Amino acid sequence: MLASRTSADSSDTLLEILKRRVASDGPLTIAQYMDTCLGDPDHGYYTTRDPFGADGDFITAPEISQIFGELIGLWCAVVWQNMGAPKPIKLIELGPGRGTLMADALRAALRVPDFIEAAQVHLVETSPVLRQMQRERLETSGKTPHWHGSLDEVPEGAAIIIANEFLDALPVRQYERRGEDWFERCVRVSKKGKLEFCSSSKPLKTSEILPQTIHENAQDGDMVEIRPHSDKIAETIAARAQDTPTAALLIDYGHETTTPGETLQAVMAHGFVDPLEKPGEADLTAHVDFAQLGDSARRHGLQVHGSLPQGEFLLALGLKERCERLIADTDNDTREKISSGAMRLADPAQMGDLFKVMALTSNGLTPPPFTSTLASEQD
Ligand code: SAH
């Protein structure tokens, strides 16, 4: 992905590589740290393992319930029809994990045979381990996926782009306000040889790092996060949308409005750990700021729909009805498993509220369940 190659021997630990880098180049920004921990070619978290599932570090919506991918598959088919049924249509997934969402989506969309016939599957994935899992998972889907290292590499043409828990893995930069000045939060090596947080030694020019509104709304001592790569993704989607029908569905945990605070977190074996403790061995993420994402998408000329809480989105697409059909002819145990999975996705106390859904489209498209009023309210 975005991680730069280190010249280090691959038998080194990531901690040693990071320490040497700090010794030669000075403190790392949080974005450089995240980038290396997640994407280092030899030791990166995603490059070296399958992190999902009960035995892994965390679990995602498509791994919790097949209904998630199924509803998204039908969403894609409806959006394609709204686009005027272009052929071919590129079905692009960013960060497909084990390939489960795409497999469930393709299976559900078989109900719209013309869509399935027109669909070409493109997967944007940097991890060789996960690419292999995706290949296996999609073997029986009837589609041969094409893999790419970034969205820029996907050939042009009408496209529907989906991304679940992809943006949160993109590196953030953190800035702290002190008086009228902003300092960048960095990572250095302490006297005891441990990684620790520090601040850039000199203040940075506000106009070069932050939107003016963020500066104005922040108080002395506040920390804010900026995710430069999500702006780049919005720009790439907008470039595609200028010439061809394009819709993107972005789902992630995060907030609807920009509020100061830091959200960098590390997760291992389904629990939180210190983000500096085990570089490359824990999942490192930060919440998605949907307000910043929407602003940047609008600036690049896209139509922005939502965000909506995930629970509301899934219920509007038919989560409850699909769940009832699935459990109709099953035994008690299976029924309980299917119902509790569906509930976990939609319940506001579980994933229903924390996760948000935003659609970015070319002009004139209003994907379900967003209404044009919702889209224009944000304009
Ligand atoms: N969407 C999946 C997986 C989410 S985890 C699910 O819901 O289960 C994040 C995924 O994004 C992983 O597949 C990871 O390898 C991939 N990834 C992370 N950073 C990436 C980058 N910069 N470019 C491409 N893929 C990336």
Side-chain angles (χ1 to χ4, degrees), residues 230-299:
S230 77
D231 181 60
K232 179 79 185 65
I233 299 242
E235 190 182 0
T236 309
I237 297 172
R240 301 187 71 99
Q242 264 191 351
D243 304 321
T244 42
T246 304
L249 187 70
L250 307 171
I251 307 173
D252 229 305
Y253 48 92
H255 32 275
E256 271 174 329
T257 49
T258 303
T259 26
E262 75 111 359
T263 68
L264 180 71
Q265 65 183 41
V267 167
M268 247 180 117
H270 301 268
F272 291 109
V273 294
D274 178 342
L276 302 184
E277 197 58 48
K278 297 208 184 275
E281 288 177 52
D283 186 34
L284 266 189
T285 61
H287 284 207
V288 173
D289 182 333
F290 281 94
Q292 280 189 49
L293 177 63
D295 284 348
S296 112
R298 266 185 288 271
R299 223 178 24 252

Side-chain angles (χ1 to χ4, degrees), residues 99 102-104 106-107 110 116 133-145:
M102 185 57 83
D104 292 339
L106 290 173
R107 192 185 58 251
L110 282 171
I116 284 296
M133 296 196 79
Q134 292 153 17
R135 184 171 291 115
E136 286 163 20
R137 186 61 56 100
L138 292 168
E139 213 147 46
T140 53
S141 70
K143 291 285 165 190
T144 310

Side-chain angles (χ1 to χ4, degrees), residues 13 24 35 38 77 96 114 144 193 223 268 273 293 303 306 312 327 335 358:
T13 65
S24 74
D35 192 18
L38 296 177
D114 288 355
T144 310
M223 178 97 76
M268 247 180 117
V273 294
L293 177 63
Q303 284 200 344
E312 217 175 290
I327 62 179
R335 194 171 304 155
M358 177 173 267

Side-chain angles (χ1 to χ4, degrees), residues 1 46 52 60 62 95-97 124-127 130 164-166 170:
M1 67 176 235
Y46 283 118
F52 308 102
T60 55
V124 175
E125 175 61 71
T126 42
S127 160
L130 293 174
N164 182 59
E165 289 207 44
F166 169 74
L170 301 180

Side-chain angles (χ1 to χ4, degrees), residues 90-96 121-127 131 134 145-155 240:
K90 293 194 168 54
L91 191 51
I92 306 172
E93 185 173 358
L94 311 179
V121 174
H122 292 264
L123 305 177
V124 175
E125 175 61 71
T126 42
S127 160
R131 277 189 184 196
Q134 292 153 17
H146 305 269
W147 278 271
H148 311 272
S150 77
L151 182 58
D152 293 327
E153 293 170 19
V154 182
R240 301 187 71 99

